[in-house]
Amino acid sequence: MGLAADAGGSGRYSVLLHPVGDFDTEAYVESWTTVLKPRPWVEAFGFTRSWRMRELWEAFDALRALPNVQVLASMDWAIWNKGELPPGWFRLPSGEV
């Protein structure tokens, strides 16, 4: 996890989830929800290939529903070309979801 205070002194923090590694269990995803939900001044973002693991979908839905969290799908051209595009899990350069 990377953590940095806002240089403008706003008291807000940005957290990069998983500079290395990924979400691997439901309990681990839920732990991030537990940590981030009561901390709206912490903005968390990250990317995951675990969006393909159906057993994590419910936990991801709860985490991604937090207003201070953005988790997007990490994918490669093989996934893109198969049409395995998760609705709401990625953003095009145009901002389209």
Side-chain angles (χ1 to χ4, degrees):
M1 169 183 75
L3 178 64
D6 177 64
S10 69
R12 299 191 64 78
Y13 294 84
S14 293
V15 175
L16 171 59
L17 305 172
H18 300 297
V20 177
D22 210 337
F23 300 93
D24 58 352
T25 66
E26 183 178 18
Y28 184 64
V29 177
E30 289 171 346
S31 70
W32 278 111
T33 303
T34 299
V35 167
L36 294 167
K37 188 174 185 176
R39 294 172 175 85
W41 62 90
V42 176
E43 297 172 350
F45 64 98
F47 304 91
T48 182
R49 290 185 73 93
S50 296
W51 61 267
R52 299 175 76 189
M53 298 172 61
R54 290 183 183 269
E55 64 271 20
L56 300 182
W57 285 4
E58 192 172 317
F60 271 131
D61 286 345
L63 177 61
R64 295 177 70 236
L66 298 177
N68 57 326
V69 175
Q70 185 172 18
V71 178
L72 300 174
S74 175
M75 63 181 87
D76 55 31
W77 285 112
I79 296 168
W80 183 272
N81 290 334
K82 285 182 185 177
E84 298 179 20
L85 307 176
W89 272 89
F90 65 98
R91 293 190 193 282
L92 299 175
S94 65
E96 184 180 342
V97 178

